[in-house]
Amino acid sequence: MVEAEEEKPTLIENPRFAKPFELLTKLYGTPKYYEIDATTLMAIYMPIMFGMMLGDIGYGLNILILAFLMKKFLKGPSWQALSNIAIICGITSIIFGAIYFEFFGPFHQGGHHAKHFLWPLIESLGLEHAKPLIDRT
């Protein structure tokens, strides 16, 4: 009679900055003893990719505000981890929004600057000739 091999326990140890992302790793399933724990890689690349895809200062601020509200009112450990992830992603969205020069949409729209609702503020700050660092259009 052959006994089934007993599954070895898995200890997940990650750097402090990656701790909130353990929540996402566990959603996929705890890595087995012999597998690589991708939490640290996820903690590095997920916020960058999120910021690149949703690079907008306005949306980033909304995410940041909602994340801080979550952090204040939802006290469970999973909610705290999720709010920390949302804070990081909101910040990267703001950073990429500044790079793309977008606030609820692009400031520059093919030479039709007056279409953006913040154009009077942009002109008053002397930024009407500013260009995005990376133009996604």
Side-chain angles (χ1 to χ4, degrees):
M1 181 168 150
V2 179
E3 292 184 30
E5 188 176 311
E6 191 174 313
E7 193 169 312
K8 297 176 184 173
T10 304
L11 174 65
I12 298 177
E13 279 191 55
N14 289 299
R16 187 169 174 250
F17 76 91
K19 287 283 183 198
F21 292 88
E22 288 177 359
L23 174 71
L24 298 178
T25 302
K26 289 176 183 174
L27 286 174
Y28 287 104
T30 305
K32 304 265 188 256
Y33 175 76
Y34 53 86
E35 294 177 332
I36 296 172
D37 179 13
T39 306
T40 304
L41 291 173
M42 190 180 300
I44 294 168
Y45 292 109
M46 188 225 165
I48 293 170
M49 294 301 294
F50 185 90
M52 289 172 68
M53 290 187 290
L54 189 69
D56 190 292
I57 297 168
Y59 289 124
L61 287 172
N62 280 336
I63 292 169
L64 210 52
I65 290 167
L66 289 172
F68 280 119
L69 288 172
M70 282 173 50
K71 195 161 191 60
K72 182 177 180 178
F73 294 111
L74 304 173
K75 296 297 183 187
S78 295
W79 284 110
Q80 292 296 305
L82 187 62
S83 64
N84 289 336
I85 293 169
I87 288 169
I88 294 166
C89 289
I91 290 169
T92 58
S93 183
I94 291 170
I95 291 168
F96 278 94
I99 291 170
Y100 300 150
F101 208 54
E102 292 192 6
F103 188 92
F104 293 121
F107 287 123
H108 291 274
Q109 298 178 358
H112 304 289
H113 306 296
K115 287 184 179 179
H116 198 278
F117 72 97
L118 287 179
W119 191 249
L121 176 65
I122 292 168
E123 281 184 326
S124 69
L125 294 173
L127 296 173
E128 63 269 10
H129 298 293
K131 299 285 184 208
L133 295 176
I134 300 171
D135 194 2
R136 297 193 301 175
T137 57

